[in-house]
Amino acid sequence: MGSIVPGITAVGAYLPDYILTNQELEKMVDTDDEWITTRTGIKERRILKGEKQGTSVMAVKALEQLLEKSGTDPKDLDAVILATITPDYFFPTTANLVATEVGAVNAFGFDMLAACSGFIFALETGANYIRSGNYKKIAVIGADKMSSIVNYKDRNSCILFGDGAAGVMLEPNDEGLGIYDAIMRSDSVGKELIYLKGGGSVNPPTHETIDAGLHQFFQDGKSVFRYAVTSMAGVAAEIMKKNNLKGEDIAYLVPHQANKRIIDATAKRMGVGPEKVMLNIQYYGNTTAATIPLCLYDYEDKLKKGDNLVLAAFGGGFTWGSMYLKWAY
Ligand code: UT7
């Protein structure tokens, strides 16, 4: 690692007001609160309502909060990296729209499409810009409007997802508190198990692709679950070993929130007790790229300067990864 340590100086978030409860889902598909709670840990999720309201609406609010909390003039922002699988459009990129909307006139922006691992991949990318010495302020955001691609007739998947946005500000840290290590992986074995196949260059949109449901999310939950447990727990254990960390050295595991059972398996493999696991899946479900920064946001008050955190995620692609960082404030 170079001599410049990229530290997190603020966390910002935005969640839509509308709450979709398990009880409301019971009226939409053949499911029940007990099944959802015991199999996933989810009780409710947020949904962004309204015409022409895209992911950028939420990301702008999260970024505005980030700028305010970090005391950043928008003109001083170098870049916005936005992880999402539900961009407003294919292009212009959502990061581009968000940066302009907040007045970040000197920034560049791009989207990172790595599904549920998107935030970790984007954060490591942002960290490398800071490590280069050429950039001083990078906003990294995870934002998804999953309700725009979820099939609300498929009880296997519609109960899982919610909408939300959150992110962090990265700046050089002169106390050595920041991002130390990341391990990131991908394997296209997942391409037949979790996907959205319509709208790209293989299946451009037609009436037929719409009728065939190709513009909606699909996953084979049981198969994805097996890969998720092995890979997320594995990569979290791997980063601990690589950095000589034991369970007692970790202040918090910050896991992607897809299923509480995957999170529990990861914590167990790391030797970390439940009191050290950030958990908010009960309130928001799986918000894809937003889950990890939403955890940091919800637990911000509990974090202390110098705390060791391990982030871990697994998602579509497949993609998976972990990150080791020291909390900077
Ligand atoms: O973040 C992106 C990566 N995604 C993940 O990590 C998700 C990984 N997968 C999972 O979290 C879980 O596999 C699910 C929550 C999606 C499903 O849980 P499961 O324990 O694997 O259940 P299952 O798919 O094996 O289904 C068990 C039963 C089935 O009925 P039969 O065949 O046993 O009669 C399903 O049809 O539960 C049924 N089922 C439901 N029942 C009530 C499936 N969905 C529902 C539902 N309500 N919503």
Side-chain angles (χ1 to χ4, degrees), residues 11 34-35 70 101 143 165 172 210-211 231 243 270 275 285 287 314 321:
V11 193
E34 212 252 319
W35 191 96
S70 63
E101 187 68 27
I210 292 171
D211 291 345
S231 306
N243 291 280
M270 292 169 66
E275 72 288 354
T287 54
F314 178 89

Side-chain angles (χ1 to χ4, degrees), residues 12-88:
Y14 176 78
L15 288 153
D17 294 334
Y18 189 84
I19 298 175
L20 176 59
T21 62
N22 289 351
Q23 286 71 25
E24 193 176 344
L25 280 166
E26 284 174 1
K27 295 180 200 138
M28 296 161 64
V29 286
D30 181 15
T31 190
D32 58 83
D33 175 49
E34 212 252 319
W35 191 96
I36 301 174
T37 307
T38 53
R39 299 286 180 127
T40 71
I42 303 166
K43 297 298 274 184
E44 57 192 44
R45 57 298 282 140
R46 302 299 182 96
I47 304 293
L48 183 65
K49 297 270 189 184
E51 289 286 302
K52 307 274 180 205
Q53 300 287 292
T55 294
S56 68
V57 170
M58 300 184 290
V60 163
K61 295 204 163 83
L63 180 54
E64 280 171 349
Q65 200 182 36
L66 264 186
L67 293 168
E68 193 194 319
K69 282 172 79 175
S70 63
T72 301
D73 182 332
K75 294 187 184 65
D76 294 333
L77 195 62
D78 291 312
V80 176
I81 308 176
L82 191 141
T84 186
I85 57 165
T86 51
D88 282 24

Side-chain angles (χ1 to χ4, degrees), residues 31 35 39 116 155-156 219 221-222 256 259 261-262 286:
T31 190
W35 191 96
R39 299 286 180 127
C116 300
R155 69 171 184 171
N156 292 289
Q219 79 169 339
K222 213 182 203 30
H256 170 53
N259 188 315
R261 292 183 288 145
I262 301 171
N286 183 349

Side-chain angles (χ1 to χ4, degrees), residues 189-205:
V189 69
K191 73 179 192 298
E192 298 305 331
L193 299 173
I194 178 166
Y195 54 74
L196 189 157
K197 289 204 167 167
S201 48
V202 171
N203 300 308

